[in-house]
Amino acid sequence: MAVTRTWKVYGVEGHRQRESFCDSQKYDFSENGKVRILEILNSDQTGTNDYSIVRITRQTAEECQEELDGQLSDGIFGNSRFGKIEEII
């Protein structure tokens, strides 16, 4: 059974989130029975450039967190400076 977790990723304090200016995207990297789905909601859907919403679906909650950490360091947000990260529950 897959788990989905969702976060708001804000720009560094006093700045807008660079990624939020891009079009929203959904990627499905699932294969061999392992779920790996990333969805990024940007200003075209959120109406703001203050943050992007990241929805990650993986096998476990821990894998979701690991995926987010990877996306922040060298994935979707690799070229962005991010600030506060807030999980949406």
Side-chain angles (χ1 to χ4, degrees):
M1 180 170 187
V3 174
T4 300
R5 292 177 70 185
T6 306
W7 294 268
K8 284 183 181 178
V9 179
Y10 289 85
V12 72
E13 189 172 331
H15 297 274
R16 296 176 289 180
Q17 173 50 257
R18 178 179 178 179
E19 171 62 27
S20 73
F21 290 90
C22 299
D23 290 337
S24 295
Q25 298 288 325
K26 184 172 183 176
Y27 303 97
D28 188 345
F29 300 111
S30 303
E31 61 181 23
N32 301 324
K34 298 226 179 199
V35 177
R36 184 178 176 219
I37 301 171
L38 304 168
E39 188 172 4
I40 302 88
L41 305 177
N42 290 318
S43 62
D44 58 335
Q45 291 191 27
T46 65
T48 183
N49 293 110
D50 291 338
Y51 58 82
S52 293
I53 295 176
V54 180
R55 187 174 296 132
I56 298 173
T57 304
R58 296 295 305 262
Q59 299 302 114
T60 66
E62 293 79 19
E63 285 182 355
C64 290
Q65 182 65 55
E66 290 170 6
E67 183 72 44
L68 176 66
D69 294 343
Q71 294 302 322
L72 292 171
S73 65
D74 60 3
I76 296 162
F77 297 96
N79 293 322
S80 300
R81 293 177 47 206
F82 57 89
K84 179 173 73 169
I85 300 168
E86 178 178 279
E87 186 165 12
I88 301 171
I89 299 188

